[in-house]
Amino acid sequence: QVQLVESGGGLVQPGGSLRLSCAASGSIFSTYARGWYRQAPGRQRELVGVISSGGITRYTNSVKGRFTNSRHNARNPVYLQRNSLKPEDTAVYYCNALRTFYSSSPVVDWGQGTQVTVSS
């Protein structure tokens, strides 16, 4: 059974940076993409960035130019570098596996997520 563990969240001032990590335990297909989602209070969970097993990335418009996905290999872990953070980036951030690079549907059970709070 795959378990996803997100880490790296915290409190940061507007304009600051954080790097989130996503590690998976258990077997997971090395060809799967990995997606980063976030859920702000009172809002639906949204997909903000995807990285393929080969390192290709895509992002939602609101984070383009500020967030960067990276990974060392096709398995573990994946990172989300977030720069120029804004208060509206405040949310719980989750990662999940995606069957294809263009999919938005998660494959495995959600982890606990990591809280990011952007505030002065």
Side-chain angles (χ1 to χ4, degrees), residues 5-9 19-23 36 77-80 93 95 114:
V5 180
E6 303 90 350
S7 62
R19 189 176 80 158
L20 307 184
S21 299
C22 170
W36 280 100
V78 296
Y79 304 100
L80 181 65
Y93 285 72
C95 68
T114 185

Side-chain angles (χ1 to χ4, degrees):
Q1 183 176 353
V2 175
Q3 284 189 314
L4 296 164
V5 180
E6 303 90 350
S7 62
L11 174 63
V12 63
Q13 292 186 340
S17 299
L18 280 176
R19 189 176 80 158
L20 307 184
S21 299
C22 170
S25 63
S27 62
I28 188 168
F29 294 105
S30 61
T31 58
Y32 279 20
R34 203 73 65 85
W36 280 100
Y37 299 75
R38 68 184 178 187
Q39 187 167 20
R43 302 188 67 175
Q44 289 188 334
R45 194 170 299 178
E46 63 168 338
L47 179 64
V48 297
V50 177
I51 185 166
S52 72
S53 58
I56 301 171
T57 58
R58 65 180 176 95
Y59 305 94
T60 191
N61 286 338
S62 62
V63 306
K64 278 182 181 178
R66 300 189 299 120
F67 288 12
T68 302
N69 280 336
S70 63
R71 64 195 309 174
H72 294 302
N73 54 50
R75 295 186 178 275
N76 293 307
V78 296
Y79 304 100
L80 181 65
Q81 178 70 37
R82 298 133 23 85
N83 300 322
S84 303
L85 285 164
K86 304 175 181 181
E88 52 264 41
D89 294 319
T90 295
V92 180
Y93 285 72
Y94 303 86
C95 68
N96 212 304
L98 303 174
R99 295 191 190 277
T100 70
F101 178 66
Y102 291 104
S103 172
S104 61
S105 300
V107 174
V108 300
D109 292 339
W110 294 105
Q112 294 296 312
T114 185
Q115 174 71 49
V116 173
T117 302
V118 185
S119 175
S120 55

